């Protein structure tokens, strides 16, 4: 069993985005690992392993438009299942 089950990935498009502030917010407010928050002040790519992907989506939606959202169940993948 994985500690953090869901691989959560998305793009945030907005204005004045700050990858360091986003990174710090994740570390202070979410349980998870493998965080990537990279980009510039208009577009940020997020990659994060968590058990609560809906919280990540909710927060990111407050920063700008979110799209290319992928939430994959890594436990199912490890068992050879899809989804």
């Amino acid at each position: 069993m994985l500690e953090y089950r869901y691989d959560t990935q998305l793009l945030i498009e907005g204005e004045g985005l700050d990858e360091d502030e986003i990174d710090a917010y994740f570390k202070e407010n979410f349980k998870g690992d493998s965080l990537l928050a990279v980009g510039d002040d208009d577009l940020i790519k997020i990659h994060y392993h968590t058990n609560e992907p809906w919280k990540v989506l909710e927060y990111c939606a407050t920063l700008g438009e979110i799209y290319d959202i992928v939430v994959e169940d890594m436990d199912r993948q490890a068992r050879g299942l899809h989804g």
Side-chain angles (χ1 to χ4, degrees):
M1 186 70 166
L2 300 168
E3 183 175 4
Y4 300 108
R5 184 173 181 163
Y6 298 101
D7 178 5
T8 307
Q9 302 173 51
L10 64 129
L11 296 172
I12 309 167
E13 186 173 28
E15 295 178 10
L17 298 173
D18 185 320
E19 62 188 32
D20 293 330
E21 286 180 15
I22 294 169
D23 184 273
Y25 187 91
F26 269 74
K27 290 176 179 173
E28 291 173 18
N29 294 281
F30 301 131
K31 292 179 183 176
D33 64 13
S34 300
L35 174 61
L36 271 173
V38 295
D40 57 31
D41 61 346
D42 296 323
L43 185 67
I44 299 284
K45 165 77 175 179
I46 298 291
H47 173 269
Y48 194 55
H49 296 169
T50 183
N51 290 328
E52 302 172 319
W54 56 90
K55 289 184 179 181
V56 170
L57 298 176
E58 206 171 54
Y59 165 67
C60 291
T62 69
L63 301 174
E65 182 179 353
I66 60 174
Y67 63 99
D68 286 351
I69 300 164
V70 176
V71 178
E72 296 179 322
D73 185 333
M74 296 184 297
D75 183 57
R76 286 181 58 85
Q77 288 175 340
R79 293 182 285 136
L81 304 171
H82 295 286

